[in-house]
Amino acid sequence: MSNDMVLQKLEGGLLTITMNRPERKNALNPDMVRALVEAARRAADDPEVRAVLFKGAGGSFCVGGDVKSMAEGRAPLPFETKLANLRRGMEVSRILHQMPKPVVAQLDGAAAGAGLSMALSCDLRIASESCKITTAFAKVGFSGDFGGTYFLTQLLGSARARELYLMSPVLTAKEAHAIGMVTRVVPDTEIDAAAHELALSLARGPSIALGFIKRNINNAEHLALEDCFDGEAIHHTRCGDTEDHKEAAKAFVEKRKPAFKGA
């Protein structure tokens, strides 16, 4: 599906997915959500993609759902239809979270509501100093979607998640970093370069091992200790048979940086 609301660029193993409604601060509408799901599936399935950079155009990440559009009073859909549409759209967060490839979210301008939920589904979040971050749902009479309550609870614990959802404060990037929501904060003028550099470094890394690391951590969110141990053992053993591991061992002996090929 061709959709200029979501742009995709693959270069050097890094797929950059850009939400492209800058005039609406990348607010989500049905067409954009469908295109995001498609882009996420492409990222997960395409063997040429080794890492993902997820960002917004026009100096803002995503302010969440298009509340202005919601308030226009279009003919209401049946409950079952609305539920099915929302659930299909929420797949973007699940795919980004579970795909065996690292995903970096570039947060600038604002990350709110479903926009924040999608950012939380990513592995790393790098934010510009002026970025504002908020759950936002309670302020517009919603309970939350796109997995935000799950990801935030896993990331920060239920006490902090309750505070951020029930009270819906607007956090600065530094405040979000202090509580662990954001991986790194950089000056506004450096956000594009810093996010790209971080994501590209992951794309150039040992892709199979990074995928297994991500799976191990995801497993730790819901599996028992013995099952996590079994998973670690299986993944570690599989990594030992990869060309990337052999290259890393050789580079260590030769005192040079390894050149990973994702194999």
Side-chain angles (χ1 to χ4, degrees):
M1 178 178 66
S2 176
N3 188 328
D4 61 6
M5 292 184 185
V6 174
L7 308 178
Q8 300 181 49
K9 180 181 179 182
L10 178 60
E11 186 175 12
L14 175 63
L15 179 66
T16 300
I17 299 173
T18 305
M19 294 173 283
N20 189 39
R21 292 186 76 203
E23 74 284 357
R24 301 289 301 133
K25 296 186 178 180
N26 301 313
L28 300 172
N29 66 11
D31 288 338
M32 176 185 275
V33 170
R34 282 191 290 270
L36 283 174
V37 173
E38 181 186 76
R41 285 184 177 142
R42 182 263 178 106
D45 296 340
D46 188 342
E48 297 299 314
V49 176
R50 298 175 61 180
V52 176
L53 175 60
F54 187 31
K55 60 187 290 188
S60 190
F61 181 69
C62 175
V63 295
D66 194 335
V67 178
K68 181 179 179 181
S69 176
M70 296 176 195
E72 289 176 351
R74 293 170 296 180
L77 296 172
F79 174 83
E80 292 77 9
T81 302
K82 290 189 290 186
L83 177 62
N85 289 343
L86 177 58
R87 188 62 186 83
R88 279 194 296 269
M90 288 168 61
E91 281 294 281
V92 62
S93 293
R94 183 192 64 77
I95 297 168
L96 292 174
H97 182 66
Q98 292 184 342
M99 74 170 66
K101 303 169 185 182
V103 183
V104 175
Q106 176 182 323
L107 307 185
D108 41 7
L116 176 59
S117 298
M118 293 188 296
L120 293 170
S121 77
C122 301
D123 300 297
L124 302 172
R125 286 157 293 283
I126 183 166
S128 62
E129 285 182 334
S130 67
C131 184
K132 303 299 182 185
I133 297 170
T134 180
T135 60
F137 290 106
K139 293 182 178 178
V140 292
F142 278 127
S143 57
D145 58 19
F146 281 72
T149 53
Y150 173 85
F151 298 122
L152 199 57
T153 301
Q154 293 289 345
L155 187 65
L156 302 180
S158 63
R160 183 70 78 173
R162 291 175 200 275
E163 174 189 343
L164 295 175
Y165 266 86
L166 294 172
M167 301 171 64
S168 196
V170 177
L171 304 179
T172 66
K174 290 184 177 178
E175 289 171 333
H177 179 262
I179 63 174
M181 286 180 73
V182 167
T183 309
R184 186 186 305 169
V185 178
V186 299
D188 291 4
T189 56
E190 298 176 16
I191 183 62
D192 286 317
H196 186 267
E197 180 181 355
L198 174 59
L200 188 60
S201 71
L202 293 168
R204 291 172 174 169
S207 300
I208 295 172
L210 295 181
F212 282 143
I213 288 171
K214 182 169 177 175
R215 185 176 298 177
N216 287 341
I217 294 171
N218 286 349
N219 285 345
E221 293 176 341
H222 63 90
L223 294 184
L225 178 62
E226 289 294 329
D227 294 327
C228 288
F229 273 28
D230 289 342
E232 281 192 349
I234 291 169
H235 300 153
H236 184 91
T237 303
R238 286 179 175 170
C239 285
D241 293 330
T242 64
E243 293 302 315
D244 278 348
H245 167 69
K246 296 171 185 177
E247 161 64 10
K250 184 178 180 182
F252 179 82
V253 172
E254 297 174 354
K255 298 182 179 180
R256 60 174 174 81
K257 291 183 66 174
F260 296 118
K261 297 180 179 179

